[in-house]
Amino acid sequence: MRNGFDEPPIVPLSCRLCPINRKTVCQAFEETEFEAVQRFKIGDRVLPAGRHLYRPGETCSELYNVLDGWVALYQIIRNGRRQILDFALPGSFLGYQPDLSAALLHGAECITDVSVCVFPRSPFPDFVKENPRLGDRLAVMAARDTIMVHDHLTNVGCRSAQARIAYLLLTLCMRVKRNAKAHAAPEVVIPLTQNYIADALGMTSVYVSHTLRQLRENNLLTFKGGKLQVLDPDGLADIGDFDHLLLV
Amino acid sequence: MRNGFDEPPIVPLSCRLCPINRKTVCQAFEETEFEAVQRFKIGDRVLPAGRHLYRPGETCSELYNVLDGWVALYQIIRNGRRQILDFALPGSFLGYQPDLSAALLHGAECITDVSVCVFPRSPFPDFVKENPRLGDRLAVMAARDTIMVHDHLTNVGCRSAQARIAYLLLTLCMRVKRNAKAHAAPEVVIPLTQNYIADALGMTSVYVSHTLRQLRENNLLTFKGGKLQVLDPDGLADIGDFDHLLLV
DNA sequence: CGCGATTTTGATCAATGTCAAAGGTGGTGG
DNA sequence: CCACCACCTTTGACATTGATCAAAATCGCG
């Protein structure tokens, strides 16, 4: 009903078997407490690519754990430009903010088909009070988000176009590999169009295309059809002056 | 001793009388609990302008509540450029991150003389466990920080030089006025050099100078010696396409 | 096969950076 | 009280990056 679309069906899933229960807010719970979470959650939901979980300025009655897929968190300003703030991957907790009943300042758009686990929003503060470790866990996750946005901001503010793209792709590459642990595929799936990359990095999609060609012509990488091949990791890290420090 | 300087002396202050005890993490405590905070804190400290609370890559044994003054949070990348992530004002809680024992990824430099309330770092997680509302409060504050960085990122990524500066100054103006409640002074103190502004907005200080002149010549504002006069609030909000939405 | 969305390419232009030098400003010590 | 120094700001000429516009090529999909 939200956004004028029919909502996809809700599919129940056991929290105990949830593939991301150690990565998201649920890490705050012991194995034996999962049934409380199970009772609290509304269910699971699948959204097609292009659908919005919520839009900037909306109020929302839910909170989301990303189970699968890629989500873009973004803001839009009056001049029409869009800034992508972060790409949310499985394990991200979406929609949390200081005042849960206030309008959301950012939006969340599904880049791929996405499945989420849905929490009800208004009872959430009480749920946190009943589960003290949850507050702690939320703080840690929010602090982690802050660090990621810091790095993103530094990328946008301090680097050239080539460096911005190199850095972004390397970072995403690391995140994807960390999730899909232990397989050294030559190709990494990064399902972004050049337009998403442009909106994330504060540039235009045609300049992204131009810059990607430069990187390709220097045999640093290949990026086509949402698949990234890093041909020269060291060269690319050098271009992107990627510090290898970040473990985020 | 840190940074090779002598540390300024520590001055004890009553938490109950603390001017910012309702704004920072301490908001989690009841009036009657303040003595626990008082026992936990190390003391207060005054640092001169230019001094660093901590630098990127350092480990740190403390956490800080800003009592007075302006602090720049920043990152530096290999090419030597610096990105200012946020300006911390009284009430900010500095140094918190997901893994407290890890090296800090950003630095904190005093823009003005600054006074802080100092917490010990390693006992902090236990302190949070003993005071469940503190975890909650930390989460809220971290979420608030995330929103502020989101806005900052959008500013840097989406706006022109004029708009970036207009937006930043308006935002800071609001924050300052909110702190020093209820006096409609014609001048607002924003103790930043053009270089700080440049590093915050991903531009050079000479272009900041140039752009400030444009704004001044259009009778939008005056900014000299760290004092801002907004001559044309509506015009400035228009240039900075400032949405008035944000209540952060 | 055909359509919409995405990517590519090239030409041109505007915004911002770079460099260099001159002016201001405030603080410190004599 | 003055002189000096460090730092900040201003200015102008020029270089460069990245945006804009427009059109063609490609891709994915029904």
Side-chain angles (χ1 to χ4, degrees), chain B residues 115-217:
Chain B
S115 64
V116 290
C117 155
V118 185
F119 286 171
R121 195 175 185 86
S122 52
F124 191 72
D126 287 335
F127 190 58
V128 175
K129 283 205 184 62
E130 290 158 20
N131 299 276
R133 292 187 57 208
L134 188 51
D136 203 3
R137 178 64 186 155
L138 275 176
V140 167
M141 290 191 66
R144 201 148 49 87
D145 287 347
T146 302
I147 289 180
M148 296 198 33
V149 187
H150 280 177
D151 284 340
H152 190 168
L153 169 58
T154 300
N155 194 28
V156 172
C158 291
R159 283 185 251 254
S160 70
Q162 281 204 29
R164 282 212 285 278
I165 291 185
Y167 182 90
L168 175 67
L169 291 179
L170 281 174
T171 307
L172 290 174
C173 197
M174 284 183 47
R175 292 177 65 188
V176 170
K177 281 183 177 165
R178 193 176 323 135
N179 270 7
K181 52 195 65 170
H183 76 102
E187 292 191 330
V188 179
V189 174
I190 296 186
L192 303 179
T193 63
Q194 296 183 4
N195 201 27
Y196 279 116
I197 296 179
D199 285 350
L201 298 180
M203 43 202 285
T204 60
S205 63
V206 353
Y207 202 57
V208 169
S209 172
H210 180 68
T211 308
L212 277 174
R213 172 162 56 117
Q214 293 177 339
L215 293 170
R216 192 184 328 125
E217 285 173 353

Side-chain angles (χ1 to χ4, degrees), chain B residues 16-33:
Chain B
R16 198 183 306 264
L17 303 177
C18 173
I20 58 150
N21 61 14
R22 300 285 79 171
K23 284 193 242 174
T24 182
V25 289
C26 302
Q27 201 222 51
F29 297 95
E30 306 290 345
E31 180 85 6
T32 57
E33 299 172 305

Side-chain angles (χ1 to χ4, degrees), chain B residues 228-242:
Chain B
L228 172 71
Q229 271 194 59
V230 177
L231 303 176
D232 179 355
D234 293 339
L236 204 56
D238 199 46
I239 293 266
D241 65 25
F242 186 81

Side-chain angles (χ1 to χ4, degrees), chain A residues 28-222:
Chain A
F29 297 94
E30 306 289 343
E31 180 85 6
T32 58
E33 300 172 303
F34 275 141
E35 62 185 53
V37 186
Q38 184 100 39
R39 279 196 308 276
F40 184 70
K41 75 181 266 192
I42 293 179
D44 298 316
R45 186 179 299 153
V46 178
L47 299 100
R51 183 71 54 88
H52 289 245
L53 243 27
Y54 47 84
R55 290 173 191 269
E58 278 185 10
T59 55
C60 177
S61 59
E62 306 174 327
L63 289 161
Y64 308 97
N65 284 293
V66 180
L67 299 174
D68 190 46
W70 285 54
V71 178
L73 309 186
Y74 67 92
Q75 281 183 331
I76 290 181
I77 63 177
R78 283 220 310 266
N79 71 19
R81 280 255 238 296
R82 173 174 76 162
Q83 176 67 46
I84 291 182
L85 305 165
D86 194 12
F87 296 106
L89 266 48
S92 291
F93 185 57
L94 304 185
Y96 180 74
Q97 60 180 13
D99 177 357
L100 286 182
S101 61
L104 283 149
L105 296 173
H106 69 277
E109 173 187 331
C110 300
I111 297 173
T112 62
D113 293 353
V114 163
S115 63
V116 289
C117 154
V118 184
F119 285 171
R121 196 176 186 83
S122 53
F124 191 72
D126 287 334
F127 190 58
V128 175
K129 283 203 186 61
E130 291 160 20
N131 299 277
R133 290 188 58 206
L134 188 50
D136 203 5
R137 177 65 185 155
L138 275 175
V140 167
M141 288 190 68
R144 202 148 48 88
D145 286 347
T146 301
I147 288 179
M148 296 197 35
V149 187
H150 280 176
D151 283 341
H152 189 168
L153 170 57
T154 299
N155 194 28
V156 172
C158 292
R159 282 186 252 253
S160 71
Q162 281 203 28
R164 282 213 284 279
I165 292 187
Y167 182 89
L168 175 67
L169 292 178
L170 280 174
T171 307
L172 291 173
C173 197
M174 281 183 50
R175 291 177 64 189
V176 169
K177 280 183 177 167
R178 193 176 323 132
N179 271 7
K181 52 194 66 170
H183 74 101
E187 291 191 332
V188 179
V189 174
I190 295 185
L192 303 179
T193 63
Q194 294 183 4
N195 202 26
Y196 278 116
I197 295 178
D199 284 351
L201 298 180
M203 43 201 286
T204 59
S205 62
V206 352
Y207 202 57
V208 169
S209 172
H210 180 69
T211 308
L212 277 173
R213 173 163 54 116
Q214 293 176 339
L215 293 171
R216 193 184 327 126
E217 284 173 354
N218 288 8
N219 296 312
L220 293 163
L221 57 74
T222 276

